[in-house]
Every structure is written in C-alpha cells, then in structure tokens.
Amino acid sequence: MRTRPLGTGGPQVAPLALGCAGMSDHTAPADEADAIATIHTALAAGVTLLDTADFYGMGHNEDLIRRALRTDDREKALLSVKFGALRGPDGAFVGIEGRPAHVKNALAYSLRRLGTDHVDIYRPARLAPDIPIEDTIGAISELVQAGYVRHIGLSEAGPETIRRAHAVHPICDVQIEYSLFSRDPETNGILDTCRELEIGVTAYGVLAHGLLTGTYRQPAGGDPRAHWLPRFHPDNLATNLAVADRLRPLAEAHGISVAQLATAWVISRSRERGTIVAVLGTRRPHRVKEALAAADITLTDTDLRAIDEAVPADAVAGTRYAAPLMALLDSERGPKPSVNRAP
C-alpha cells in the first residue's frame, strides 16, 4: 500500500488508519478475539497507524492493544494516543485536563498499559479551557526530547490553536471529524491552515458514526447514540438516511458499497487539501478488508461532482454532537474576534 508522510517530518502512513475506540467504548461490548484479529489484519495489510486514548474504556483499550501487539508487531505499529478527557467512576466525562504535570503523568500510565517505551503521536483530546495550549504542547515537547514521544498531534483544534501549538513544536497532524456529513473543516479554516503549515489530517467519523454505511436503518426501539449524536435523533434520522441513500446508485456504478464510496471520498480530498488519512473505526476484520478496497478506488472529477450534488454540505439534519459536547470543541468555536489596540 502506498504511504505518505503525515505532516512535515512525520511518520510514513497508509491512507487508512485504524480507530480502536469501538473495541472498548461503544454502544455494545466488543468481542476481544475479534478486536485483536482486527488489529492484526490491519497491520498485515500495511495499516500501521492505530488510534487510541487513555480514556477509551478507561484504560481498557490500551491494555487491549498491548495484548494485540506481540513483540514483533510493536515495531510495525504507529501508536497515536489521546489524553486529557477526565472520567468518573460511572464512566461519565467530568472535565478536560491539560496541565504539564498531568500530561507527563498520563503518558507514564499509558506507556505502562501499552507495554512500550514510547508512543508515536501524543495529543490532547480537547483544548483545556484554563490552560494555554503553549503549556500543554511545551510539556509534550519535553517528552519528545526525552524520547518518550516521537511526534505531537492535536484533536478538534481550531485554526488559531493550531498555529499557536505549531509555533511551540511542529505538529504532525490534526485529528478532526471529516466526512460527507461533516464538511465544516473545508470552510472554517482548519484544512486550509493544516495545508499551509504542512500538517497532516487524520479524519475520523468518515462513515458518520454509521449513517454512511449504506446498511444502517432506524431501529424500532431507538438508538442510544441519539442522546449525544443529534443526527440519530428521530427528528433528524429519516432525513439523514434519505440523504445517504442518494449515494447508493453512485456506489453501485463503481461496483462498491456506500461505505466504500464515502471512505474513498475522504481519501480523495488529499489531492486538494494535503495529506488526509481516513480513520476507520471498526472492531471486525472483514471491515478492514472492505476499507482497503476503498483505498484503491480512484474517483474522477466527474465522480466528485456527482457526489457533491447528491450530498450537499447543508443537506444533513442536526449537529454532529449534542450542545454540551459541541461546547468542548475548539474546532467549532470559529475565529476569535480581533482586538483593536491603541497605538
């Protein structure tokens, strides 16, 4: 599989990465044997970037990855780890932490759970509202100098934050939700900033949390995701499924699934936007194989225009997260107003 650098000086990566959250933290428990087999399938195919977080399953996901990465597999894998989201004993999220002492403490525990002496990319999951991003990135930079971290990333950061962080230490990539159903990074300056600074993008939610699989249908008893993902709310779901169905004839014309078309679309954005890697969130080996086929699909300009006409950016009903979660996203706050100072 052809690789490309993830940001200036970043690691070589495939056009796909494996998101491991659903193996530990999802709407239903994952089968551990399937999850480990999924990781092995990805690595064997050249999908080396594994995305995790210390709060996925409150440490369970890192433990799982350690069990999956046999001694010889650790050198094949690139571990991308998020930190900073705080959880209570009941699993509820209770805050965001970005103090330098927490950064170093969190990494120490992650290294122990992962069974490794370093992580390849370390990133704050969200911007801590009371800690300057310079302090957080500065602490990670010290960990880079000490050899515990190879590269620094960001997650859900807006353009101003990206620039401030990059001024402290080169940023490898920005992780952001980006799909046919979430196109704001094209207009809010995030993709433009990343391209200007030669920072890679790791796009998660490429299948809109399941809406773009082409197989999802409204469950009779409702979907628990509706509580935190408004696009799954009954008021919005029928509209969104109808929009996703518009992709079906386009996918069938290529002999592929809607999910493969949606994945291929994200990967295709690298032509105009710089390096964009599609993060595949799955816990089943056959889904990895399906996504690998999507990575080989070349969409023509005619294909891309047809997709844009079928799914305009404003066709989706509902925000991507519920209001309390949206408030935590620096990427959704928009540009800061300029301040006029007297000379």
Side-chain angles (χ1 to χ4, degrees):
M1 186 181 302
R2 182 176 297 178
T3 63
R4 71 286 305 275
L6 190 63
T8 301
Q12 290 285 323
V13 295
L16 289 169
L18 181 62
C20 300
M23 300 175 184
S24 301
D25 238 343
H26 212 265
T27 53
D31 179 86
E32 183 164 307
D34 273 352
I36 289 176
T38 300
I39 293 172
H40 290 166
T41 299
L43 292 175
V47 177
T48 57
L49 186 60
L50 307 181
D51 182 73
T52 184
D54 59 13
F55 51 89
Y56 288 168
M58 293 182 285
H60 175 272
N61 202 240
E62 291 177 319
D63 286 331
L64 175 69
I65 290 173
R66 183 192 70 245
R67 293 192 291 276
L69 296 182
R70 298 166 304 220
T71 303
D72 58 335
D73 280 338
R74 174 60 187 100
E75 295 308 312
K76 298 177 185 176
L78 295 168
L79 298 179
S80 169
V81 180
K82 293 186 289 293
F83 69 90
L86 306 179
R87 303 183 76 166
D90 60 352
F93 287 94
V94 296
I96 302 172
E97 179 60 84
R99 289 176 301 158
H102 176 82
V103 172
K104 297 176 180 180
N105 182 73
L107 179 65
Y109 280 93
S110 285
L111 292 175
R112 177 65 63 89
R113 285 189 292 263
L114 289 164
T116 185
D117 62 356
H118 74 278
V119 298
D120 298 282
I121 307 174
Y122 202 48
R123 72 182 81 239
R126 298 290 185 268
L127 181 65
D130 55 343
I131 304 297
I133 190 63
E134 289 85 354
D135 291 0
T136 303
I137 299 303
I140 306 176
S141 179
E142 293 176 7
L143 295 170
V144 172
Q145 294 171 18
Y148 297 116
V149 173
R150 296 288 189 266
H151 307 281
I152 302 178
L154 293 171
S155 177
E156 290 289 355
E160 180 181 326
T161 298
I162 295 169
R163 291 182 184 280
R164 288 169 55 194
H166 194 65
V168 175
H169 187 282
I171 299 300
C172 169
D173 72 304
V174 174
Q175 193 171 105
I176 193 77
E177 182 166 356
Y178 183 45
S179 73
L180 281 166
F181 273 19
S182 295
R183 311 245 334 231
D184 283 352
E186 295 177 349
T187 57
N188 62 14
I190 291 175
L191 294 186
D192 289 341
T193 300
C194 288
R195 182 166 187 178
E196 175 193 339
L197 300 178
E198 298 184 333
I199 295 171
V201 172
T202 41
Y204 74 92
V206 296
L207 299 182
H209 306 281
L211 291 174
L212 285 169
T213 60
T215 59
Y216 182 89
R217 289 294 176 263
Q218 187 164 0
D223 190 314
R225 281 172 285 191
H227 295 292
W228 54 283
L229 296 173
R231 290 170 182 171
F232 284 83
H233 191 277
D235 292 344
N236 300 323
L237 187 55
T239 296
N240 293 332
L241 290 178
V243 173
D245 279 342
R246 298 177 195 167
L247 293 170
R248 195 174 305 281
L250 302 178
E252 290 174 349
H254 282 275
I256 59 177
S257 68
V258 171
Q260 289 172 316
L261 183 68
T263 302
W265 180 87
V266 171
I267 294 171
S268 76
R269 309 312 288 165
S270 291
R271 293 183 219 162
E272 300 177 2
R273 303 287 184 171
T275 299
I276 297 179
V277 173
V279 180
L280 172 69
T282 188
R283 46 191 176 172
R284 305 205 185 282
H286 73 277
R287 296 298 184 194
V288 175
K289 295 175 181 177
E290 291 172 2
L292 288 170
D296 290 332
I297 296 167
T298 299
L299 298 176
T300 66
D301 290 342
T302 300
D303 293 329
L304 295 174
R305 284 193 296 270
I307 292 170
D308 282 341
E309 291 172 2
V311 185
D314 59 356
V316 182
T319 56
R320 57 190 180 108
Y321 293 111
L325 295 177
M326 289 289 282
L328 299 177
L329 301 179
D330 181 61
S331 56
E332 293 285 348
R333 291 173 188 156
K336 307 294 188 298
S338 60
V339 177
N340 294 321
R341 293 182 172 89

